[in-house]
Amino acid sequence: MNFFLRLIVGSVLLGSVALAQNPLQDAYYIIHSYHRMYEGTKDNVRFYMADTSRNILDDCMEIVASEIESWSNRVATCKNWSPRNTEAIGNALRDCAMQASQTVYNIHNNVYDELEAMQEESVQLQFAVVRHLRNFNILEDYADFVEDFQSVVNVAYDRLEHHFVPRLEDALEPILEAESTLPQQTQTCVNAISRKFRSLC
């Protein structure tokens, strides 16, 4: 899962050597380096989660839709079929689809909890940077300013790498598992319904 971390590492390291020797511009850069680190990571997580979840749900919905189509073709040959049977199997297949959707929804909630914690951390870090600014006359103490603020950025990056990224990896692990298991579970659900209602034909 470290693919999104590597993207952030590259952008942060590239930016860290791009100070313009302009105190005000550099102050602006350092403050927003926090934002880039944290927001960049969150954006990558959201993109990965949305893309993967969409593929999983597409697979699950295709399984359900295929079974609906199969029953639509089969009904004409079922001697004992009634409108109530149609409603019952429709509700049962809907439940299979809803189970898949609920599983993905629960995974999303867990990931969003971690992203919310990151957001709070990012805000606090930016406040810390502003507080640090009060300790410097950056026009007179520019070298100390750069050294001190770069150390703050390094601490923030370490926090991102060793605290938040592992927690995000743990939160995203179920979506990786769901890529293979959830379509199988949906197929099992659909097969059970098919066996149950086939006895009516």
Side-chain angles (χ1 to χ4, degrees):
M1 198 72 61
N2 281 336
F3 69 92
F4 57 82
L5 176 59
R6 286 194 292 271
L7 291 175
I8 301 305
V9 170
S11 64
V12 171
L13 292 180
L14 180 63
S16 67
V17 297
L19 294 177
Q21 298 298 312
N22 180 311
L24 294 179
Q25 287 184 3
D26 291 350
Y28 177 84
Y29 160 75
I30 292 171
I31 291 172
H32 283 275
S33 65
Y34 290 124
H35 182 77
R36 289 197 301 273
M37 283 194 297
Y38 282 80
E39 291 302 318
T41 300
K42 289 193 293 182
D43 286 346
N44 280 319
V45 169
R46 290 189 189 104
F47 175 80
Y48 170 80
M49 187 167 61
D51 189 57
T52 305
S53 298
R54 182 174 59 252
N55 292 336
I56 293 170
L57 289 176
D58 283 350
D59 289 344
C60 293
M61 296 309 111
E62 184 176 346
I63 291 168
V64 174
S66 177
E67 186 65 16
I68 291 172
E69 182 179 1
S70 176
W71 272 101
S72 296
N73 296 331
R74 195 179 301 154
V75 164
T77 64
C78 291
K79 297 179 181 179
N80 300 320
W81 199 257
S82 71
R84 291 185 64 183
N85 297 142
T86 299
E87 181 180 1
I89 193 170
N91 289 338
L93 290 172
R94 179 199 61 199
D95 289 344
C96 291
M98 289 298 296
Q99 288 173 19
S101 297
Q102 187 64 46
T103 297
V104 172
Y105 176 79
N106 290 340
I107 295 171
H108 280 207
N109 276 348
N110 291 336
V111 175
Y112 284 132
D113 286 344
E114 296 301 330
L115 294 178
E116 181 63 27
M118 281 189 67
Q119 177 65 29
E120 293 177 8
E121 179 91 358
S122 179
V123 170
Q124 291 304 316
L125 286 169
Q126 291 183 59
F127 285 157
V129 170
V130 173
R131 287 194 297 269
H132 272 68
L133 275 172
R134 293 200 297 260
N135 297 329
F136 289 95
N137 180 330
I138 59 175
L139 295 177
E140 296 178 356
D141 304 317
Y142 179 77
D144 292 338
F145 162 79
V146 171
E147 181 179 355
D148 185 79
F149 274 73
Q150 192 60 56
S151 69
V152 173
V153 172
N154 291 341
V155 169
Y157 177 75
D158 186 73
R159 174 84 167 153
L160 174 66
E161 181 180 11
H162 295 108
H163 176 75
F164 285 111
V165 166
R167 290 180 66 89
L168 285 169
E169 288 177 348
D170 290 343
L172 285 168
E173 188 65 31
I175 205 76
L176 286 174
E177 296 175 357
E179 283 189 272
S180 59
T181 61
L182 199 55
Q184 292 176 2
Q185 291 170 7
T186 302
Q187 186 66 65
T188 298
C189 180
V190 164
N191 290 347
I193 292 167
S194 182
R195 286 193 299 271
K196 175 182 177 180
F197 283 91
R198 212 169 271 159
S199 63
L200 298 175
C201 292

